[in-house]
Amino acid sequence: MYLSDLAGTRHSFKDLKALLAAATPFRSGDQLAGIAAGSAEQRVAARYALADLPLKTFLQELLVPYEDDEVTRLIVDSHDMAAFAPISHLTVGAFREWLLSNETGGEQLAAIAPGVTPEMAAAVCKLMRNQDLIAVARKIGVTSAFRTTLGLPRRLSVRLQPNHATDDPRGVAASILDGLMLGCGDAVIGVNPATDNIETARDLLELIDRLRQRLEIPIQSCVLTHVTNTLELIELGAPVDLTFQSIAGTEAANRGFGVDLGLLAEARDATLALGRNPLSDNVMYFETGQGSALSADAHHGVDQQTLEARAYAVARPFRPLLVNSVVGFIGPEYLYDGKQITRAGLEDHFCGKLMGLPMGVDVCYTNHACADQDDMDDLLTLLGVAGVNFVMGVPGADDVMLNYQSTSFHDALYVREALGLRPAPEFEDWLSRNGLIDDTGRILETKDAQRLLLDHLDHA
């Protein structure tokens, strides 16, 4: 039992799960689950109690039982006590002050990352304003590398997302060329296939790989199909750069996705064995989103923001190239409006970076959410200030296959120019050599270069 006195009223919270849920900024998913604070006063009281809680509490009181959940076992068994030592004496509130201190820089934050459990990250996040989340995340640099190096200072990469409603190769290729000419694609060219057809996925991978080799572009590709399909594609000899999988923060939710930790390890080993990454062992691409465990009825009464942080604990041991919070994709049942989506995007980016992950965010919303593109402009800009590793580049910001709204190639150009950010260095060099970018990093409308790329499209 946790108690808090506020304005002459005593508030009680039956356990740590209830305290964390009540301290969370309001969102529709927690209300749907019946665990949100009943009032603003109760929420503030929960935050007072949470601020005084020692960080060590999260190593002693587990939100999801160790015996019942392999994610909990992963969190407990892999916890690095040596990395935790510098902050082990702190309360959650004091941890917030330590994170925000001018004396705490990127090196210290990187050093403690293996000692920060997802529950610790989620707890301190609940005490922070949006500006706090931005200020701390901005100090944290997490790099990963394949044919391009992602996450370097003053860089912002873009996942080029050339989805097509029928997986038509020419439609996909046209979107790829459009994105390349606008300086996008340095994070990954990642296609969400419309079907689970293995041959279609193989055709798309071969299309992108031919284009990569013909144009000598330093990019990596991914077809975002289920991990078991990717394993089959590897056996068939397809040019698999990255293995993709959606993941969540509980064993039961991951079972809903058809995966467990053992399967993810098998897929990583198989992808590494291909030897296609010239720079590192980063060969995994994970996507997450607040509300996924609740939608699978696998949340164990834990709030959705804390469960999202637990998904990052799943990703961490696999050393991914990319982790992407598809923040507004699940819908208004979980994040109702632009305000909730914005807050969740900043939370996810902060928690992932604090835990040492190369975080990107799909700044997005579904058409039945109470949000619009102005909200996405706001979140995109805030994430750019916060140092996000990558965002999405979707033709016209409208994904015609997944039927949701994201950010466009032009949106990426806007935030790079407004904040003085550049593409990944290897990709920027390619853009420069092909006359597509000037010395200031501004994309050029060079007809000769565009014609060259289009000619290569015809041959590819």
Side-chain angles (χ1 to χ4, degrees):
M1 178 79 70
Y2 294 90
L3 302 174
S4 179
D5 292 317
L6 186 68
T9 301
R10 170 157 287 196
H11 298 267
S12 63
F13 309 93
K14 65 178 181 179
D15 54 24
L16 187 54
K17 285 192 293 189
L19 179 65
L20 288 168
T24 306
F26 177 76
R27 64 206 59 200
S28 53
D30 291 338
Q31 184 182 49
L32 179 66
I35 60 174
S39 66
E41 180 179 302
Q42 186 186 42
R43 185 171 298 110
V44 173
R47 289 176 182 168
Y48 269 103
L50 184 60
D52 290 336
L53 200 67
L55 288 177
K56 289 180 179 177
T57 306
F58 297 100
L59 302 177
Q60 300 159 356
E61 185 174 346
L62 304 179
L63 304 185
V64 183
Y66 184 94
E67 299 78 12
D68 299 340
D69 187 89
E70 70 171 359
V71 177
T72 298
R73 293 193 290 274
L74 172 66
I75 293 167
V76 172
D77 296 346
S78 64
H79 183 247
D80 188 330
M81 286 299 295
F84 179 59
I87 57 171
S88 62
H89 61 289
L90 299 177
T91 63
V92 177
F95 186 34
R96 172 185 175 273
E97 297 302 318
W98 184 84
L99 291 170
L100 287 166
S101 170
N102 288 334
E103 296 179 1
T104 303
E107 289 186 7
Q108 292 98 320
L109 292 167
I112 67 160
V116 176
T117 70
E119 292 83 0
M120 293 174 193
V124 74
C125 179
K126 298 174 194 300
L127 302 183
M128 302 176 86
R129 293 171 56 186
N130 286 2
Q131 68 172 248
D132 298 337
L133 299 175
I134 294 168
V136 176
R138 185 175 176 81
K139 295 194 281 188
I140 305 172
V142 182
T143 60
S144 59
F146 202 103
R147 298 186 185 97
T148 56
T149 305
L150 312 178
L152 293 170
R154 310 305 304 167
R155 303 277 178 175
L156 174 65
S157 296
V158 182
R159 172 190 159 191
L160 202 168
Q161 186 168 301
N163 295 347
H164 191 278
T166 63
D167 292 332
D168 183 301
R170 289 193 63 82
V172 170
S175 292
I176 292 173
L177 267 293
D178 186 23
L180 290 173
M181 287 188 289
L182 290 170
C184 297
D186 52 333
V188 64
I189 296 180
V191 184
N192 297 90
T195 72
D196 280 333
N197 183 279
I198 296 295
E199 288 304 317
T200 297
R202 184 177 184 176
D203 289 344
L204 291 172
L205 285 171
E206 290 177 346
L207 165 70
I208 301 170
D209 205 51
R210 287 197 304 272
L211 192 62
R212 174 185 70 83
Q213 294 186 62
R214 184 177 291 275
L215 295 178
E216 299 180 331
I217 320 172
I219 53 171
Q220 41 278 346
S221 64
C222 185
V223 169
L224 282 69
T225 188
H226 192 268
V227 63
T228 53
N229 291 339
T230 303
L231 283 168
E232 187 173 343
L233 287 165
I234 290 172
E235 293 220 358
L236 292 171
V240 173
D241 287 340
L242 300 173
T243 289
F244 164 82
Q245 185 54 50
S246 295
I247 56 173
T250 68
E251 178 180 343
N254 284 322
R255 279 203 307 269
F257 286 134
V259 299
D260 58 26
L261 298 178
L263 180 58
L264 295 177
E266 178 188 350
R268 182 175 187 267
D269 289 344
T271 313
L272 278 171
L274 297 176
R276 293 178 63 85
N277 186 337
L279 299 181
S280 78
D281 62 352
N282 306 140
V283 295
M284 301 297 283
Y285 176 11
F286 294 121
E287 286 193 344
T288 67
Q290 289 192 26
S292 58
L294 176 58
S295 69
D297 194 24
H299 59 100
H300 296 271
V302 180
D303 69 273
Q304 65 184 37
Q305 188 260 325
T306 299
L307 290 177
E308 173 72 4
R310 282 172 57 98
Y312 305 148
V314 173
R316 184 160 54 179
F318 297 102
R319 293 180 48 79
L321 178 75
L322 309 161
V323 178
N324 180 31
S325 166
V326 193
V327 65
F329 182 74
I330 302 181
E333 299 86 356
Y334 307 96
L335 296 170
Y336 177 73
D337 57 15
K339 181 179 178 66
Q340 292 185 20
I341 292 170
T342 296
R343 172 70 189 188
L346 295 176
E347 289 172 345
D348 296 351
H349 178 249
F350 163 82
C351 287
K353 282 281 188 72
L354 186 60
M355 293 174 62
L357 288 170
M359 288 300 298
V361 177
D362 187 347
V363 178
C364 64
Y365 63 102
T366 58
N367 289 310
H368 62 308
C370 188
D372 58 27
Q373 213 64 33
D374 285 339
D375 296 310
M376 301 305 104
D377 288 346
D378 294 345
L379 177 54
L380 174 65
T381 306
L382 294 174
L383 286 166
V385 175
V388 71
N389 280 25
F390 68 98
V391 294
M392 300 298 109
V394 178
D398 182 8
D399 193 302
V400 297
M401 196 283 285
L402 291 173
N403 195 29
Y404 80 118
Q405 309 304 309
S406 185
T407 48
S408 71
F409 306 139
H410 294 86
D411 293 332
L413 293 186
Y414 144 72
V415 75
R416 278 177 176 165
E417 184 167 343
L419 300 177
L421 306 173
R422 310 285 281 258
E426 301 89 348
F427 188 72
E428 183 178 20
D429 181 64
W430 178 81
L431 292 170
S432 179
R433 284 187 284 107
N434 285 276
L436 292 170
I437 196 170
D438 65 17
D439 291 340
T440 70
R442 181 173 296 182
I443 293 296
L444 301 172
E445 295 183 8
T446 307
K447 301 302 181 184
D448 289 343
Q450 293 174 358
R451 189 176 300 111
L452 174 65
L453 295 182
L454 292 171
D455 286 345
H456 280 307
L457 169 63
D458 289 335
H459 289 98

